[in-house]
Amino acid sequence: MKVKADPKLVQKGLMLPLMEAFYTIQGEGYHKGTAAYFIRVGGCDVGCHWCDVKESWDAETHPPTAIGEIVEEAARHSDTIVVTGGEPLTWDMGPLTEALKEKGMKIHIETSGAYPMTGHWDWVCLSPKKNKLPVGDIYGRADELKVIVYNRHDLKFAEEQAARVRPGCLLYLQPEWSVREKVTPFIVDYVMAHPKWRVSLQTHKYLNIP
Ligand code: SF4
């Protein structure tokens, strides 16, 4: 049953501005190559100039959707869920993750960490951005740190961010897609010289899947 959109329900995380949801293969980071259901939540004010989902930024353009509907659809596809955006932590993720957990799902988040952590997560991918740094205790909760590399200066930023995560957090450098031919060679050299890092590629784009 469709629930009527109500700003108060969005504020409480009982409805979320849903941009899209789809079953695909995780292309990036530690879980690359594995099937998962992606829930892309609208709304982000981080403003990365190279963002490849700029259409997610304006939450107003994405219909407030009851979390019950989102979870029901997710349950039909997979027991592994990736919540992404936009910036999902713009919203209270508590109710959505509780409802997914009730169905016994494993829940991953992809976040810049620009807003305080809410929700219950089995895997936290922190992808910090220079123009709106992570807040709160998210560095201590990240399972993987994924730094997008657009230019050489991003390697310095990556080291600064790596110094803040907990021991055992996996470290990834990922070429920004539009400049991948330029940056991949120096990322490869950097990872060979600093093997605590791994290369992450957007393999879903090579596979031509969402
Ligand atoms: S944080 Fe993510 S969604 Fe937001 S602008 Fe940056 S890349 Fe785009």
Side-chain angles (χ1 to χ4, degrees):
M1 188 186 73
K2 290 256 177 215
V3 177
K4 207 163 161 256
D6 176 346
K8 280 197 202 120
L9 294 179
V10 176
Q11 230 168 30
K12 291 179 181 164
L14 296 168
M15 297 187 100
L16 292 167
L18 181 67
M19 177 176 161
E20 56 180 351
F22 49 94
Y23 185 47
T24 187
I25 304 288
Q26 167 62 281
E28 304 176 3
Y30 180 71
H31 293 285
K32 73 168 180 299
T34 59
Y37 185 76
F38 277 62
I39 297 172
R40 190 184 300 287
V41 183
C44 183
D45 65 356
V46 176
C48 308
H49 65 90
W50 42 256
C51 178
D52 58 359
V53 279
K54 287 192 169 112
E55 61 279 23
S56 71
W57 290 6
D58 183 0
E60 295 290 317
T61 59
H62 304 295
T65 306
I67 56 169
E69 277 177 48
I70 299 173
V71 172
E72 208 176 291
E73 194 56 34
R76 290 223 283 269
H77 291 91
S78 179
D79 57 8
T80 301
I81 308 298
V82 178
V83 180
T84 186
E87 173 44 68
L89 294 180
T90 306
W91 314 101
D92 183 353
M93 287 287 122
L96 175 68
T97 55
E98 273 161 34
L100 290 167
K101 272 285 148 213
E102 273 168 24
K103 299 265 185 199
M105 295 173 174
K106 288 197 181 64
I107 327 171
H108 304 183
I109 184 170
E110 310 253 343
T111 177
S112 68
Y115 290 97
M117 178 70 116
T118 51
H120 312 281
W121 306 101
D122 296 294
W123 189 265
V124 175
C125 173
L126 173 63
S127 186
K129 304 298 179 326
K130 282 180 198 161
N131 37 335
K132 206 166 169 90
L133 289 171
V135 297
D137 64 351
I138 196 161
Y139 288 108
R141 297 179 61 184
D143 297 293
E144 64 181 312
L145 175 74
K146 183 173 68 187
V147 179
I148 311 304
V149 179
Y150 185 80
N151 56 35
R152 280 182 190 273
H153 184 264
D154 291 327
L155 297 175
K156 184 169 175 286
F157 176 66
E159 290 296 352
E160 288 162 8
Q161 296 299 295
R164 304 194 59 179
V165 294
R166 63 178 175 79
C169 178
L170 302 173
L171 305 178
Y172 288 96
L173 297 173
Q174 180 171 296
E176 197 283 311
W177 182 253
S178 69
V179 291
R180 63 192 180 282
E181 284 173 18
K182 193 174 91 190
V183 301
T184 302
F186 71 72
I187 291 175
V188 167
D189 288 346
Y190 193 83
V191 169
M192 287 195 289
H194 306 85
K196 69 180 181 185
W197 291 97
R198 304 173 183 192
V199 178
S200 172
L201 299 176
Q202 290 185 295
T203 53
H204 53 295
K205 293 188 179 176
Y206 292 97
L207 294 170
N208 205 20
I209 56 174

